[in-house]
Amino acid sequence: MSSRYEPVIGLEVHAQLLTKSKIYCGCPVAYGEEPNTLVCPVCLGLPGSLPVLNERAVEMAVKTGLAMGCSIAPESVFSRKNYFYPDAPRNYQISMYDRPLCGEGRLEFEFEGERRVVCIERIHLEDDAGKLVHVEGGGSLVDFNRCGVPLIEIVSGPDMRSPGEAAAYLTMLRRLLRWLGVCDGNMEEGSLRCDVNISIRPEGSTTLGTRTEIKNLNSIKAVEMGIRWEMERQRRVLEGGGEIIQVTNLWDAAKKRLVTMRRKEYAHDYRYFPEPDLLPLTVEAGRVKVIGEKLPELPLDREKRFRDEYGLSAYDVAVLCAERGVSDYFEETAALAGDAKTVSNWIMREVLGEMKNTGGCIEEFPLTPPMLAGLLELVARGAISGSAGTDVFREMIRTGDDAGAVVEQLGLEQISGEEDLARIVDETIAAHPEEAARCREGRTQLIGFFVGQVMKRSRGKANPKLTGEIIRKKLEG
């Protein structure tokens, strides 16, 4: 894009709340069930059915708002947002309009090495619509299972100035929602969806251009690609003497291009009016206080504390604090094992590696923090070598036994007796006479080779530090 223009970007993010039931009825919330099996007259808007607000959804919305420093309205109002789509059986959505639950707040995140702050204009509750399933060969079917699934819509200010910054904002928002336990952030399953509002203007200008919308983006990569595509399209229109028309676009992931869906609606097109079947939502200050007192330590605060308290590097902290569960696991293990850096290394290399291979999560990881701390204690006091510790770790995962039992079963107690080690070193040197000769001639880097061979010959049981010292005495002495 020409440097003559800068983009002005704001995001509207729809996050599905992790409630067990829907927002206005008791139907369960579940993904992947048989179509139209999780519905009732309220979901379908049948005559005579009345919505009843899910209080758990309200608590989660307040929790999210407090985590982002939002003001919580003592009284907010649900409204009917009228629109006519085949996946909306009521022909209106019960949302919030001019009196949302959460007012202005902020979201902080890192972008290109700097701290950025984006204004949150509002967070409000609403329900989701159903899902259209387009049949090959023509025709569409409707699955109403999603009707009534609880959502919060998080509306940012137009504060972002590049696709990368928008992606960083969305990444941090997803992380925060998962951290709070209010949304699983699964964009592939539609738990988190993003609408982008974008305009461009000449650099240095303070006047906003005409904005367009990209709707229902379901990946962070699609957000970046869609913004880049639209920025370039608007630039070509303006430089060609044209006019930007306010439209809503959809991202075609297969063709990697935007497709215009409709002319952009305005608020009055939705003919909002207060929902007559729900009383205004009252959230007392005492209830807000209780929810606030239960807020966990937030990600950026925990990152700073880990750096200050444990002396960990920025990289280590970023990895450990990417997920709240992993950072909790680290902290509990470090409290038992004592050596934070060693615990950090084991979690990043072994625990996260195992989770990546198996696709599991830390909450279901077979080694509890006390079990991992027990293993690290054996390594720290020299009962087993570090390499043997890795074998023990694998066996603990397989059997569920603690470290001491596995070491005994596998016979992995470390060999630290000088006489025993010297015997193994002699055997190893005798097996590699050419390398031993070169080492005696000054190729001391071969010491590492011999340490490796001794470890192999001892099945990882040799004390590596003492082994190195014995080898040096025999080959350098």
Side-chain angles (χ1 to χ4, degrees):
M1 184 178 185
S2 167
S3 59
R4 293 171 51 202
Y5 295 96
E6 71 167 4
V8 178
I9 302 164
L11 302 187
E12 299 173 9
V13 176
H14 292 85
Q16 178 180 328
L17 297 175
L18 284 172
T19 57
K20 293 181 180 177
S21 57
K22 296 183 179 180
I23 186 170
Y24 305 126
C25 68
C27 288
V29 175
Y31 179 81
E33 295 297 312
E34 285 294 313
N36 299 312
T37 57
L38 306 177
V39 295
C40 72
V42 175
C43 304
L44 299 174
L46 297 182
S49 61
L50 293 173
V52 177
L53 183 59
N54 184 333
E55 289 296 319
R56 183 68 179 139
V58 175
E59 289 179 8
M60 288 185 173
V62 171
K63 185 178 184 180
T64 307
L66 291 175
M68 288 194 268
C70 295
S71 57
I72 307 300
E75 184 175 284
S76 51
V77 175
F78 287 95
S79 295
R80 288 190 180 182
K81 181 181 182 182
N82 294 276
Y83 62 91
F84 308 100
Y85 292 138
D87 58 357
R90 289 191 305 250
N91 283 337
Y92 61 83
Q93 180 186 32
I94 303 178
S95 180
M96 289 175 161
Y97 176 46
D98 54 347
R99 298 176 65 183
L101 177 58
C102 305
E104 284 192 3
R106 51 192 272 144
L107 183 70
E108 294 186 24
F109 56 98
E110 299 280 346
F111 177 61
E112 294 183 340
E114 295 183 0
R115 183 63 60 91
R116 291 282 295 126
V117 178
V118 165
C119 169
I120 301 298
E121 293 187 349
R122 57 185 281 155
I123 302 174
H124 64 255
L125 281 161
E126 61 187 26
D127 61 341
D128 206 352
K131 177 183 177 183
L132 286 176
V133 181
H134 303 294
V135 180
E136 190 174 347
S140 298
L141 304 174
V142 190
D143 178 5
F144 292 114
N145 279 354
R146 285 195 66 86
C147 286
V149 166
L151 305 176
I152 48 174
E153 182 173 348
I154 304 158
V155 182
S156 83
D159 297 346
M160 289 157 271
R161 296 291 177 269
S162 72
E165 187 177 8
Y169 164 86
L170 185 56
T171 300
M172 183 63 198
L173 179 57
R174 179 177 180 271
R175 179 185 175 197
L176 179 63
L177 295 171
R178 289 168 56 86
W179 191 278
L180 296 172
V182 300
C183 175
D184 64 18
N186 190 330
M187 299 187 79
E188 289 183 356
E189 294 180 0
S191 300
L192 196 72
R193 306 190 300 269
C194 182
D195 301 342
V196 175
N197 290 300
I198 176 173
S199 64
I200 64 172
R201 64 186 178 189
E203 279 195 345
S205 172
T206 56
T207 303
L208 294 175
T210 301
R211 70 180 181 181
T212 61
E213 183 182 37
I214 311 172
K215 206 158 184 63
N216 279 337
L217 293 160
N218 62 358
S219 76
I220 294 173
K221 184 177 180 182
V223 169
E224 282 194 271
M225 294 174 72
I227 291 173
R228 286 200 176 90
W229 203 95
E230 180 61 7
M231 286 164 55
E232 184 61 23
R233 187 193 70 83
Q234 291 190 18
R235 181 194 65 78
R236 289 198 303 269
V237 170
L238 292 179
E239 292 185 346
E243 178 185 1
I244 302 298
I245 306 298
Q246 190 162 324
V247 295
T248 296
N249 295 309
L250 290 177
W251 176 248
D252 186 330
K255 297 180 180 178
K256 293 186 171 44
R257 65 188 299 270
L258 291 175
V259 178
T260 298
M261 177 183 178
R262 59 176 182 247
R263 289 288 184 103
K264 173 71 178 176
E265 293 95 342
Y266 296 87
H268 63 258
D269 292 323
Y270 291 113
R271 296 176 294 118
Y272 281 100
F273 65 88
E275 165 60 52
D277 293 333
L278 284 174
L279 291 171
L281 173 59
T282 301
V283 182
E284 296 176 350
R287 186 180 179 192
V288 174
K289 183 181 177 185
V290 169
I291 295 172
E293 289 172 346
K294 294 179 180 176
L295 273 183
E297 183 180 33
L298 299 179
L300 297 183
D301 295 334
R302 181 163 290 190
E303 284 186 5
K304 181 178 184 306
R305 184 169 63 78
F306 276 15
R307 286 194 297 270
D308 296 344
E309 190 171 326
Y310 297 111
L312 298 176
S313 69
Y315 175 79
D316 289 2
V317 166
V319 174
L320 294 173
C321 294
E323 296 281 346
R324 180 181 163 194
V326 173
S327 65
D328 289 343
Y329 186 95
F330 159 78
E331 194 147 40
E332 188 176 345
T333 308
L336 296 168
D339 184 345
K341 179 57 180 171
T342 297
V343 173
S344 170
N345 290 342
W346 272 78
I347 290 177
M348 290 196 295
R349 186 180 64 240
E350 304 297 344
V351 176
L352 297 184
E354 180 68 17
M355 286 168 54
K356 184 178 180 182
N357 290 336
T358 60
C361 63
I362 194 69
E363 288 76 13
E364 298 172 352
F365 195 68
L367 264 65
T368 63
M371 292 173 73
L372 179 58
L375 169 59
L376 300 188
E377 190 272 334
L378 293 180
V379 175
R381 66 179 168 85
I384 57 174
S385 67
S387 60
T390 302
D391 294 337
V392 173
F393 178 85
R394 305 275 176 238
E395 190 66 7
M396 290 171 72
I397 290 174
R398 191 183 71 80
T399 64
D401 294 335
D402 64 28
V406 171
V407 168
E408 188 174 341
Q409 291 161 16
L410 300 182
L412 290 175
E413 295 86 352
Q414 184 163 267
I415 302 171
S416 295
E418 285 199 38
E419 190 174 326
D420 292 335
L421 283 177
R423 177 179 52 78
I424 300 173
V425 168
D426 288 340
E427 292 172 358
T428 305
I429 291 173
H432 300 279
E434 293 182 4
E435 288 84 357
R438 290 206 301 273
C439 191
R440 289 191 176 97
E441 291 169 357
R443 299 282 299 276
T444 55
Q445 63 268 37
L446 285 169
I447 295 291
F449 165 78
F450 280 103
V451 171
Q453 291 301 312
V454 169
M455 296 303 292
K456 185 177 179 182
R457 185 175 286 268
S458 67
R459 295 189 298 139
K461 295 163 64 175
N463 182 317
K465 182 179 178 183
L466 190 54
T467 297
E469 292 172 0
I470 294 172
I471 292 171
R472 283 191 178 84
K473 285 180 184 175
K474 289 182 178 292
L475 295 180
E476 294 181 351

